[in-house]
Amino acid sequence: MEQPFDLTLIWAGIIAFGVMMYVLMDGFDLGQGILFPFAPDEHHRDVMMNSVAPVWDGNETWLVLGGAGLLAAFPLVYAVFLPALYIGVFLLLAGLIFRGVAFEFRFKAKTSKYLWNWAFAGGSTVAAFAQGAVVGAYIQGFKTENFRYVGGALDWLTPFTVITGLGLVAGYALLGATWLIMKSEGSVQQWAYKLAPRLLLMVLVVFAVISVYTPFVDPLVKERWFSGFSAIWILPLLALYCAYIVFSSLRKQQEGMPFVATMGLFLFTYLGLLASKWPYMVPPNYTLYDAASAFESQLFLLLGFLFVIPIVLTYTAWTYWVFRGKVKAGGYH
Amino acid sequence: MELDPLVLSRIQFAFVVCFHAIFPVFTIGLASFIAVLEALSFKTGNPVWQKLSKFWIQVFAVVFGMGVVSGIVMSFQFGTNWSNFAYATANFLGPVLSYEVITAFFLEAAFLGVLLFGRDKVPQGVHLFAAIMVATGTFISSFWILSANSLMQTPDGLELRNGMYHVVSWADALFTASFAYRFAHMALASFLTAALVVAGVSAWFILQKREFETNRKALSIALWMLLILAPLQVFIGDLHGLNTLKHQPMKVAAMEGNWQTSNGVPLLLFAIPDQDAQTNHFEVKVPNMASYVLTHDWNGEVPGLNEVAPEMQPPVFIVFWAFRVMVAMGLLMVLFSIWGLVLRVKGKYYQSTSFLQGLRLMSLSPFFAVLAGWVVTETGRAPWLIYGQMTHAQGVTPSLTGGMALFTLIGYIVVYALVFSAGVYYLLKVFRGGIEKANRPHEQDEVERAKRPFSAAHASLEGDN
């Protein structure tokens, strides 16, 4: 079929944007769970959970849309990543289920509260690690033949994906801590101020390891970054600049800037990753065009998006407006 | 023993989808019931309706939360265990599932917040609107998912090119031959589920002499619903069966336990189908009845399983018995609907202890009926994943091993057992709290936490309050 315009490219943009939105939004609330065991007392944990309670399940609806959207626009990604990451996907879903119900039951619980604390912390950490491992597996590439995954159950689990998994755990924890700085006050905020620089350091160490290691995993990446100077070098430089802003704004005890700059750090790292792998969507064999669904299917859904998403955003904004105002930081006893 | 990834994947899918299905089938009907209560409250201003609505919204919140959590798993099952199927059908299935998210899930999520927590923050008319939007969202969601399922039963509007289906007509693919019947059958099932649960819980409260007048009103509505819906469901179910006979004759043959194509086929009340011997044992039958039901002719020809090779037949024992469980539940519902009418004419439907106790038990019947019905239609399609086009064996993930599938099967069973017991335990506490607790002014801090499904409910997880 003759294509009047490049829908696949548009969809790649939509999916890339959606993934980034999901990472930023679910990142800070998964971060609360990762930091949960380190909180000094139940009061801190109450505040942490409250700070994300109104938004986390909306965020997970975006994850469901991500799954369905990938199937619609890039079915090869769906049909290779999920079988290849079979065990990891299960851990991710189990983690999300446990932390999701922990949100609901912890506030209702009295004697069993510690159990739900563990469910929330464990579920969040496992889910974050699994997502990081997915990123690592994407960089590594997949063993495919004839548009099918042909590798083993645990091919994805390598020292490299363990590092990327831990990297994302640290990254989400940093997002969570800087979010908490913005949304809390008093002892909780001070605790988060103390925590954030250490987390930033961990994130930078892991990112550095990944950046050095990635070119060895993938010759394409090496070629792209080290064969002469290229404009993409601006991305890691901007990421480093953001890290510097995080650090300096934490020292000045600013409230909003650490979170904003951490999002910037994530954004530029992510763009750098995309620049490394472009145009491969299922590396090392398939580009986004190989992975795409039929033109008419992409068009059918895009039309719906254009009409429906503005309506969705409108009524979502309206409900946020209905519940405007500060969320109380108090306990629920 | 060699672990078969195909069998384990089928068990896994059956398990996660059955677990998931019980929640939406209830919330679809309950959302409409709540919208009706809100509308009555808006129109009459009688406080009874709002009292009822407050209680049932709490129940809705818990069940909806369980549905969301188990639903996330479903959207990944196609990729993890059925990747060949997902890839082949992505041009259709991908947009359909995405449309479900953007037209239904977001609508439900956004307006649920207003329904649960907005009563004092928005005008009553807006609150009613939110209730209607949540109910609408549940129906839009079932439209898309039943459309996808119907395509697997009666494929249409697709063309296979290089191993991928391409949609040649969206209208044909979305509205296949079995869609209207399946949608009507399922919508009625959802309403029946809500009606029977409301009836059962109200009956239980009335037996305990709690909030008598309020619960009597709820019971009255539920019984009227039951009286209309239960016989109507038998009629629609019959039409659905005839549609299946036309498009998937082997499914009907398995439902009837009919091994040989013949005329004047009896209706089997009891039998032990034996697939190896291609026959039944211990038949108890009504002569010529199956012919009459299926062809409206006492001597009509009914297709038998002998029309296809044994390996292309569905598992007869499962389909045969699941069908009987579903029909038995449906007939019990009709029986109770008539019993209710008789008692109402005598003016004492809320006084008969045996009737009220019976209704308590009947509140479980729609769940058995719905699960059995889905087992009939899904297992009855076997060995086909897409009827006549792709088998289960062709659709399964090629890289999947038996060990991997077993690992996640056990994993999901453990995870769901934990989550499900916590959820049911909590739901029972909400029921015990009843209308009274749902209408008690509660602590300020709980109101502050907006948009949390479970925080609409006021029971605590342990203890008595």
Side-chain angles (χ1 to χ4, degrees), chain B residues 274-296:
Chain B
D274 180 344
Q275 198 126 11
D276 293 332
Q278 296 278 300
T279 187
N280 296 325
H281 305 294
F282 312 113
E283 287 183 354
V284 179
K285 53 196 171 186
V286 184
N288 294 49
M289 194 66 188
S291 277
Y292 185 75
V293 170
L294 289 166
T295 65
H296 296 197

Side-chain angles (χ1 to χ4, degrees), chain A residues 6-22 69-70 73-74 267 270-271 274 278 281 288-289 298 302 305:
Chain A
D6 194 346
L7 263 183
T8 298
L9 198 60
I10 294 173
W11 270 107
I14 294 174
I15 297 284
F17 176 76
V19 169
M20 191 66 229
M21 288 306 291
Y22 171 75
L70 267 180
F74 298 101
L267 177 68
Y270 176 69
L271 290 176
L274 293 185
W278 180 266
M281 218 165 207
L288 67 159
Y289 295 100
Q298 291 188 335
L302 186 66
F305 265 60

Side-chain angles (χ1 to χ4, degrees), chain A residues 85-202:
Chain A
L85 300 161
Y86 189 83
I87 304 289
V89 169
F90 169 74
L91 293 176
L92 169 67
L93 294 173
L96 288 178
I97 290 175
F98 275 119
R99 79 182 288 272
V101 296
F103 263 109
E104 312 295 357
F105 288 131
R106 183 175 175 274
F107 287 115
K108 305 288 175 196
K110 291 185 185 110
T111 48
S112 66
K113 199 165 200 170
Y114 74 99
L115 277 178
W116 300 111
N117 283 348
W118 280 110
F120 184 60
S124 302
T125 309
V126 167
F129 178 84
Q131 290 180 12
V134 172
V135 177
Y138 168 63
I139 297 172
Q140 281 180 170
F142 301 94
K143 199 169 157 196
T144 50
E145 263 167 36
N146 193 24
F147 297 96
R148 301 284 187 274
Y149 176 69
V150 293
L154 292 172
D155 284 8
W156 59 276
L157 192 64
T158 63
F160 180 65
T161 52
V162 171
I163 295 171
T164 57
L166 293 175
L168 203 62
V169 170
Y172 281 173
L174 177 63
L175 266 177
T178 52
W179 164 264
L180 206 54
I181 288 171
M182 190 167 71
K183 292 298 260 191
S184 68
E185 51 204 3
S187 67
V188 180
Q189 195 187 35
Q190 286 311 313
W191 175 67
Y193 269 125
K194 257 194 287 182
L195 218 53
R198 288 181 228 166
L199 292 168
L200 178 65
L201 192 68
M202 282 166 65

Side-chain angles (χ1 to χ4, degrees), chain A residues 11-314:
Chain A
W11 270 107
I14 294 174
I15 297 284
F17 176 76
V19 169
M20 191 66 229
M21 288 306 291
Y22 171 75
V23 166
L24 290 181
M25 292 195 306
D26 217 22
F28 70 75
D29 69 57
L30 285 168
Q32 305 310 320
I34 298 165
L35 295 175
F36 229 51
F38 306 101
D41 58 34
E42 287 301 313
H43 166 70
H44 284 66
R45 293 196 182 101
D46 285 346
V47 175
M48 290 165 76
M49 222 170 192
N50 293 345
S51 75
V52 295
V55 289
W56 77 270
D57 54 351
N59 296 343
E60 292 191 358
T61 307
W62 290 96
L63 180 67
V64 176
L65 181 61
L70 267 180
L71 178 63
F74 298 101
L76 188 65
V77 177
Y78 189 86
V80 170
F81 277 49
L82 293 180
L85 300 161
Y86 189 83
I87 304 289
V89 169
F90 169 74
L91 293 176
L92 169 67
L93 294 173
L96 288 178
I97 290 175
F98 275 119
R99 79 182 288 272
V101 296
F103 263 109
E104 312 295 357
F105 288 131
R106 183 175 175 274
F107 287 115
K108 305 288 175 196
K110 291 185 185 110
T111 48
S112 66
K113 199 165 200 170
Y114 74 99
L115 277 178
W116 300 111
N117 283 348
W118 280 110
F120 184 60
S124 302
T125 309
V126 167
F129 178 84
Q131 290 180 12
V134 172
V135 177
Y138 168 63
I139 297 172
Q140 281 180 170
F142 301 94
K143 199 169 157 196
T144 50
E145 263 167 36
N146 193 24
F147 297 96
R148 301 284 187 274
Y149 176 69
V150 293
L154 292 172
D155 284 8
W156 59 276
L157 192 64
T158 63
F160 180 65
T161 52
V162 171
I163 295 171
T164 57
L166 293 175
L168 203 62
V169 170
Y172 281 173
L174 177 63
L175 266 177
T178 52
W179 164 264
L180 206 54
I181 288 171
M182 190 167 71
K183 292 298 260 191
S184 68
E185 51 204 3
S187 67
V188 180
Q189 195 187 35
Q190 286 311 313
W191 175 67
Y193 269 125
K194 257 194 287 182
L195 218 53
R198 288 181 228 166
L199 292 168
L200 178 65
L201 192 68
M202 282 166 65
V203 169
L204 288 177
V205 168
V206 176
F207 280 14
V209 170
I210 293 171
S211 303
V212 172
Y213 196 67
T214 303
F216 291 102
V217 178
D218 185 348
L220 175 88
V221 175
K222 190 175 177 184
E223 156 89 23
R224 184 154 291 167
W225 289 90
F226 298 108
S227 61
F229 186 78
S230 130
I232 53 176
W233 276 95
I234 191 81
L235 295 170
L237 291 176
L238 283 169
L240 279 178
Y241 179 69
C242 285
Y244 166 75
I245 303 271
V246 177
F247 185 68
S248 67
S249 61
L250 283 172
R251 288 191 66 163
K252 288 182 224 151
Q253 299 246 322
Q254 288 176 321
E255 292 198 324
M257 189 48 85
F259 182 65
V260 174
T262 305
M263 289 204 293
L265 173 62
F266 262 82
L267 177 68
F268 292 117
T269 310
Y270 176 69
L271 290 176
L273 171 67
L274 293 185
S276 296
K277 301 300 281 188
W278 180 266
Y280 287 95
M281 218 165 207
V282 185
N285 294 329
Y286 302 112
T287 69
L288 67 159
Y289 295 100
D290 302 321
S293 60
F295 178 80
E296 59 272 17
S297 294
Q298 291 188 335
L299 183 66
F300 180 68
L301 188 57
L302 186 66
L303 291 176
F305 265 60
L306 292 179
F307 282 107
V308 181
I309 291 290
I311 302 173
V312 169
L313 293 177
T314 307

Side-chain angles (χ1 to χ4, degrees), chain B residues 39-110:
Chain B
L40 285 169
S41 164
F42 184 68
K43 211 173 151 215
T44 66
N46 187 340
V48 163
W49 302 122
Q50 206 183 88
K51 264 168 116 174
L52 274 176
S53 180
K54 278 187 178 168
F55 169 70
W56 285 104
I57 283 177
Q58 289 204 356
V59 175
F60 182 84
V62 180
V63 181
F64 188 84
M66 306 284 288
V68 169
V69 171
S70 58
I72 295 177
V73 172
M74 296 312 304
S75 68
F76 290 92
Q77 274 288 309
F78 297 124
T80 50
N81 292 61
W82 304 97
S83 68
N84 275 357
F85 164 75
Y87 187 66
T89 57
N91 284 327
F92 173 75
L93 210 56
V96 166
L97 296 181
S98 301
Y99 266 109
E100 185 185 11
V101 180
I102 62 172
T103 59
F105 291 172
F106 282 115
L107 194 71
E108 292 170 310

